[in-house]
Amino acid sequence: MEKTILITGATSGFGKAIAEKFAANGWNCIITGRRKERLDALSTELTQQYGVKILSLVFDVQNREAVFKAIGSIPGEWQTIDVLVNNAGLALGRDSFENADLTDWETMLDTNVKGVMYVTKAVLPYMIKRKKGHIINMGSVAGKLVYKEGNGYCASKHALDALSKSMRIDLLPQRIKVTAIHPGAAETEFSLVRFKGDEGKAKQIYDGFTPLYANDIADVAYYCASLPENICINDLSLSSVSQADGIYFYKE
Ligand code: NDP
Ligand code: 8X3
């Protein structure tokens, strides 16, 4: 039977790798993000390479109306969403609390927390109708432990951790699985975004150790989504072998 996954933030990093992994295994994918040209390129790649069906939706997860409009307009044959991956997210800045930028804080909370609330609320009616579904939220080590100058980002991922727990409890009667994946440092465009295009600063984050890569996260997400109906991985933390948690690294 055909399966469908909806992935937010599929234009880069984890989201793109997750789309590639699931498409390679025959899943139809609803890919979303703000950068249409990247979604178009990914759609072509996945259709040509794997012969699966792709639906692209361009919207900003911060925009409540846009989220409900885009997801509410998904055609009938696409509404049987088996897996939703709430992956779109970002960090902005790495400054001490008194110097951190208020707009950066707002953007992180609007994207990483409210964005997940909007998208999940919009997708849930499709899952509840079938009493079936799996929500995978992309948390972080920053949602488990607060590190120096992590303020707004750590707060957003801690909030997401609480949201994942809340969804898991409230959705029990609906038979909907909720998995929170908490990766450590992974080399994607994440640090380039965090340091606002400063390539030197972004690269430094991954100096001296082998980080995780987007494919690693895609493999883990695929594993979580491939387990038998009766099993749910609730909470999964992973990191490079050189990272113990959000604070301790072994760099050479
Ligand atoms: P990337 O920057 O490579 O990808 C981020 C994705 O999120 C892009 O596709 C981007 O798409 C999308 N996105 C960001 N803001 C919005 C928005 N407002 N509306 C819609 N889409 C948005 O980073 P990663 O792949 O590394 O990050 C993915 C997730 O994983 C994030 O939630 C991040 O916090 C988390 N994470 C990352 C880790 C890392 O070290 N890389 C570790 C732990 C967690 P577009 O710009 O086209 O809209
Ligand atoms: C991204 C990993 O260590 O920058 O969530 O918070 S970290």
Side-chain angles (χ1 to χ4, degrees), residues 94 139-142 147 153-154 157 183-186 190 194 243 246 249:
R94 185 83 202 250
S140 168
V141 286
Y147 53 77
Y153 182 64
C154 291
K157 290 296 183 181
F190 176 83
R194 178 171 226 170
Q243 181 176 10
F249 286 82

Side-chain angles (χ1 to χ4, degrees), residues 158-198:
H158 273 70
L160 180 57
D161 193 33
L163 271 183
S164 296
K165 289 173 183 156
S166 164
M167 287 179 194
R168 193 173 305 118
I169 296 166
D170 292 351
L171 297 174
L172 269 182
Q174 309 296 343
R175 317 293 298 164
I176 292 171
K177 299 184 189 185
V178 180
T179 299
I181 298 180
H182 302 280
E187 193 165 6
T188 60
E189 293 178 16
F190 176 83
S191 293
L192 198 60
V193 172
R194 178 171 226 170
F195 297 114
K196 302 173 182 174
D198 186 329

